[in-house]
Amino acid sequence: MTQSIVVQVGQCGNQVGCRFWDLALREHASVNKKGIYDEALNSFFRNVDTRGGVDGADVSSGKICSLKARAVLIDMEEGVVNELLQGPLQEVFDTKQLITDVSGSGNNWAVGHNVYGSQYRDQILEKLRKTAEHCDCLQCFFVIHSMGGGTGSGLGTFVLKVLEDDFPEVHRFVTSVYPSAEDDVITSPYNSVLAMKELTEHADCVLPIENQALVDIVNKINQMASSGKLGASMKLSSTVTSGHGGIKTQEKPFDAMNNIVANLLLNLTSSARFEGSLNMDLNEITMNLVPFPRLHYLVSSLTPLYTLADVNVPPRRLDQMFSDAFSKDHQLIRADPKRSLYLACALMVRGNVQVSDLRRNIERHTFTIICRLMGWSRVVLQKLSTL
């Protein structure tokens, strides 16, 4: 199987990345009961034999020795990274794959992009190359950052340019967290606009996520829990906002929002981490959903808002999930799909789902989708629905 590298930039990027690695480990642990280093783990983790010292050799098969995330952590304030290195996931991160400073970027895009970018370019490139050397077949880079801060927006987009220059054949997926209208950082709108230009130029695919949309989802889940609408079989600890069963005993204010983004990445990368007869390659996302190189911003939607205890999805539940996927209440960016036009559309389903149920739901939503699709996509969908 192929491997992917996660590049976490800034405070937001590292906090979301921490939640992603936590959830990924828990998901693999629930499947890999024997503790064997398999191809699923190989996609995002190295297996390092540290018995001979810190710089252990990679072990390609057999029992798990010490898992190391295929990740590069970058932040110009060392607080969040130090917290990760002192926390329960400290053994997962390679201390030689970290780049930190002490002064920060002062919520200034230009400082992060021009000052720290020029200062740390060689170090960033060296860390990326060393991480890539441990991959047999590098498929893509996942960059996680925020658009409002100085380091996330400035240095995060600088890293994208470095990746394009030195790894032009490797796809660059970017998860960008946008500030809300009530953001208390006065420079965040300027940082976002300046970073948007770099994202348009250097990214292959961008998953924009809006803070206010995350807040709305958290409030929606809390309201459902307080009113009992989650149902008797669903608990608050099984929602996408919960870190129940994870590494943290006490959650912080933004953990619920970070968990939503981490769940999105977890579901997006599931086909790269686990085998399946209907799996889709990550590069096929850009191939099918990006009609032009600069039109690579995808609107993400997540449903259901809780974790299914059983991988078998009942037909009635699946029908509701398909309907929710086209609802603005489940989108991670505040945009009304009923007032928009789709250039392309994809639905990625996890679990034990019957193909007949998928086909039935596609036919059920065909008319609604076709009315909002561009001409070329409309013809393709009509042909698929008649196959």
Side-chain angles (χ1 to χ4, degrees):
M1 293 181 71
T2 57
Q3 294 85 38
S4 301
I5 296 174
V6 178
V7 184
Q8 307 168 191
V9 187
Q11 177 179 340
C12 175
N14 282 289
Q15 288 177 337
V16 172
C18 177
R19 305 305 304 143
F20 168 75
W21 293 114
D22 177 26
L23 292 174
L25 285 171
R26 289 159 55 189
E27 190 172 73
H28 283 285
S30 65
V31 177
N32 191 340
K33 301 292 186 180
K34 297 182 179 180
I36 302 296
Y37 182 70
D38 53 13
E39 289 187 350
L41 280 169
N42 181 51
S43 58
F44 277 86
F45 294 93
R46 296 165 51 209
N47 188 26
V48 182
D49 187 358
T50 57
R51 290 175 295 180
V54 179
D55 298 325
D58 283 17
V59 181
S60 58
S61 61
K63 285 285 186 179
I64 295 175
C65 300
S66 177
L67 290 180
K68 296 293 182 183
R70 300 186 188 275
V72 177
L73 282 63
I74 305 172
D75 197 0
M76 295 299 99
E77 289 181 351
E78 56 186 358
V80 174
V81 175
N82 285 344
E83 184 179 344
L84 297 182
L85 296 180
Q86 296 170 6
L89 285 180
Q90 57 181 317
E91 298 297 331
V92 175
F93 300 112
D94 189 346
T95 55
K96 292 188 176 182
Q97 296 304 101
L98 315 175
I99 298 177
T100 59
D101 205 293
V102 293
S103 58
S105 300
N107 294 320
N108 190 320
W109 177 89
V111 173
H113 193 273
N114 298 328
V115 177
Y116 285 124
S118 301
Q119 180 179 345
Y120 285 96
R121 187 188 191 283
D122 293 339
Q123 291 187 42
I124 292 172
L125 182 57
E126 182 65 19
K127 306 294 185 187
L128 291 171
R129 282 179 176 170
K130 283 187 176 181
T131 309
E133 286 173 359
H134 291 291
C135 299
D136 297 323
C137 182
L138 179 58
Q139 184 179 39
C140 64
F141 288 99
F142 282 94
V143 180
I144 309 174
H145 72 127
S146 69
M147 299 289 281
T151 301
S153 64
L155 194 55
T157 52
F158 182 86
V159 170
L160 269 181
K161 188 175 181 181
V162 172
L163 292 174
E164 184 184 39
D165 292 340
D166 291 87
F167 302 90
E169 302 299 324
V170 184
H171 281 250
R172 299 171 297 279
F173 282 81
V174 186
T175 302
S176 303
V177 180
Y178 284 73
S180 61
E182 291 78 20
D183 195 276
D184 56 354
V185 179
I186 194 171
T187 56
S188 62
Y190 304 98
N191 294 336
S192 300
V193 171
L194 292 167
M196 278 280 288
K197 177 182 180 298
E198 302 297 322
L199 287 180
T200 304
E201 295 289 340
H202 306 299
D204 288 316
C205 182
V206 181
L207 300 172
I209 297 171
E210 191 177 353
N211 265 333
Q212 189 57 50
L214 298 179
V215 172
D216 292 342
I217 291 177
V218 172
N219 293 336
K220 177 183 176 68
I221 292 176
N222 290 336
Q223 289 175 1
M224 292 171 64
S226 60
S227 62
K229 291 184 179 179
L230 282 178
S233 60
M234 299 298 167
K235 299 179 180 179
L236 188 60
S237 59
S238 66
T239 62
V240 294
T241 60
S242 173
H244 180 75
I247 59 171
K248 292 190 176 183
T249 56
Q250 186 175 5
E251 292 194 358
K252 294 184 178 180
F254 293 107
D255 280 349
M257 298 165 63
N258 292 337
N259 283 334
I260 299 174
V261 184
N263 271 281
L264 172 68
L265 295 175
L266 199 72
N267 296 327
L268 184 69
T269 59
S270 62
S271 61
R273 293 182 292 114
F274 300 104
E275 293 183 353
S277 58
L278 297 177
N279 272 5
M280 182 180 68
D281 192 89
L282 284 172
N283 293 342
E284 292 183 40
I285 296 176
T286 56
M287 185 187 304
N288 291 283
L289 296 184
V290 179
F292 302 102
R294 295 166 66 92
L295 289 177
H296 51 237
Y297 294 88
L298 308 183
V299 177
S300 305
S301 183
L302 193 63
T303 179
L305 297 179
Y306 50 81
T307 304
L308 291 172
D310 188 359
V311 294
N312 296 302
V313 183
R316 290 183 61 185
R317 181 72 66 187
L318 183 66
D319 294 350
Q320 184 61 45
M321 287 165 56
F322 265 78
S323 300
D324 290 341
F326 294 97
S327 169
K328 64 180 181 179
D329 295 333
H330 289 256
Q331 289 184 174
L332 303 190
I333 187 169
R334 298 180 78 193
D336 190 354
K338 294 182 179 179
R339 298 178 178 270
S340 306
L341 190 67
Y342 292 115
L343 295 180
C345 180
L347 293 165
M348 301 175 65
V349 183
R350 295 189 68 184
N352 187 11
V353 181
Q354 298 297 323
V355 177
S356 59
D357 291 332
L358 293 177
R359 190 181 298 276
R360 175 172 52 80
N361 274 282
I362 290 175
E363 292 175 354
R364 187 166 64 93
H365 289 277
T366 293
F367 178 76
T368 305
I369 300 173
I370 283 180
C371 292
R372 297 200 294 269
L373 275 174
M374 289 294 292
W376 63 79
S377 299
R378 191 178 305 162
V379 173
V380 173
L381 183 60
Q382 286 175 333
K383 289 183 177 179
L384 287 175
S385 61
T386 57
L387 290 178

